Amino acid sequence: MKNIISIVFSLFLACSFALAQDKASKFESYPKDKVHLFLLAGQSNMAGRGKIDKTDNKPNPRVFALNKEGKWQPAVAPIHFDKSFAGEGLARSFADYYLAGQDEGIVVGLIPAACGGSSIDHWKSGVYFDSTKSHPFDDAIARTKLALKSGTLKAILWHQGEADCKPGSAQEHEAKLLDLVKRFRSDLNSPELPFIVGELGRFYSKGTIKDIASVNQALKNVADSSASIGFVSSENLTSNPDHVHFNTTSLKAFGQRYARVYQKLYTK
């Protein structure tokens, strides 16, 4: 009986994916104003290291992701491809929650560009990051400009800072993040583009308490500096056993929090 249920469920997922893939093949036929794009940037907690729940990893026919080759496909985990162990992230729950408040004709296009392990210093034009064999900032800009052929950029979702939880780097984080926001907006020709930053996990165990607090305060200060920058709390969210990465349940909750913060900015 278990085998029969498993086979039926697998067939259901396959059919769902095929239908979503068919919609993805027609993605560029959607009116650009109906395709809401979100750039996903930062390091591993944005890329996602949560365990993928196969029973809950079915496509939403209104949510797509730009794959490594620059093609649109159904947004099922892993959405990122920065490292071979990319897993569940926060982006899909963000998109599902976001669409719940939108007209049925709206679809979401996710632009994955996070690079696990990258410091904020890797997010500069021309800087190569060997760990992911990429140029984090330049690649994010290039992928976003490619996506803009299909839709309208609504916001950047950012989660990064663990790599900077060390003496010196933590104290410089605020100025560097403000500069990054400015460069993103300039290169994407969108001076008031909403920028949503997520608080580091309060469970993070690989930095000193002082430096973790310093980076989180920097994130809050940056959000407080502009009405178009939002801050997402990580209060009560929990981690994988590594005490570095959010677990799947918390990532889904985090994604919804990002969506709620975006909605508050959007309605100002």
Side-chain angles (χ1 to χ4, degrees):
M1 186 64 178
K2 262 189 174 180
N3 288 337
I4 293 174
I5 293 173
S6 178
I7 291 170
V8 170
F9 185 75
S10 295
L11 288 172
F12 170 75
L13 285 182
C15 289
S16 297
F17 190 87
L19 288 171
Q21 186 66 63
D22 181 59
K23 288 203 171 192
S25 68
K26 302 171 183 174
F27 191 79
E28 294 186 6
S29 67
Y30 286 95
K32 288 180 70 173
D33 64 330
K34 300 294 185 182
V35 179
H36 293 186
L37 303 173
F38 295 91
L39 172 60
L40 317 171
Q43 59 181 110
S44 56
N45 270 316
M46 177 56 73
R49 299 295 187 253
K51 182 178 180 181
I52 297 173
D53 181 356
K54 292 182 179 179
T55 65
D56 193 37
N57 194 30
K58 51 185 179 290
N60 179 332
R62 295 171 62 195
V63 185
F64 306 92
L66 195 68
N67 67 17
K68 188 175 183 179
E69 290 73 37
K71 303 294 183 183
W72 292 107
Q73 65 180 31
V76 294
I79 289 173
H80 272 81
F81 43 80
D82 60 316
K83 294 185 177 179
S84 61
F85 45 84
E88 186 72 59
L90 62 83
R92 174 58 190 277
S93 65
F94 167 87
D96 290 345
Y97 192 93
Y98 173 80
L99 284 172
Q102 297 291 326
D103 181 271
E104 289 186 5
I106 300 297
V107 296
V108 164
L110 300 170
I111 309 166
C115 297
S118 58
S119 76
I120 199 164
D121 289 329
H122 290 115
W123 288 84
K124 295 178 181 177
S125 184
V127 175
Y128 180 74
F129 183 43
D130 186 66
S131 184
T132 54
K133 309 297 181 189
S134 66
H135 294 79
F137 182 79
D138 294 334
D139 292 349
I141 295 295
R143 287 173 57 76
T144 302
K145 288 183 175 179
L146 176 63
L148 281 167
K149 295 178 180 179
S150 304
T152 304
L153 186 61
K154 293 294 183 178
I156 296 174
L157 310 186
W158 176 261
H159 195 282
Q160 190 279 333
E162 292 92 344
D164 295 286
C165 287
K166 52 190 176 183
S169 296
Q171 288 67 40
E172 298 171 351
H173 201 76
E174 182 177 340
K176 290 181 178 181
L177 184 55
L178 284 168
D179 178 66
L180 176 66
V181 174
K182 183 178 179 180
R183 287 186 284 109
F184 263 127
R185 289 172 167 175
S186 176
D187 283 22
L188 294 172
N189 194 29
S190 184
E192 293 299 323
L193 179 66
F195 194 95
I196 316 297
V197 301
E199 183 181 22
L200 304 189
R202 300 185 186 186
F203 48 73
Y204 187 61
S205 64
K206 292 197 173 180
T208 68
I209 293 175
K210 179 180 177 181
D211 290 327
I212 294 168
S214 181
V215 170
N216 274 335
Q217 187 61 53
L219 298 174
K220 292 178 183 177
N221 291 346
V222 168
D224 288 342
S225 73
S226 170
S228 57
I229 302 178
F231 175 82
V232 187
S233 169
S234 66
E235 184 177 5
N236 296 326
L237 298 184
T238 53
S239 74
N240 286 330
D242 60 11
H243 297 290
V244 173
H245 299 106
F246 295 96
N247 59 33
T248 297
T249 299
S250 288
L251 284 164
K252 291 180 178 180
F254 213 15
Q256 292 181 3
R257 292 182 186 185
Y258 268 78
R260 287 195 290 270
V261 168
Y262 172 80
Q263 287 169 346
K264 287 179 182 179
L265 290 182
Y266 191 76
T267 55
K268 282 182 178 180

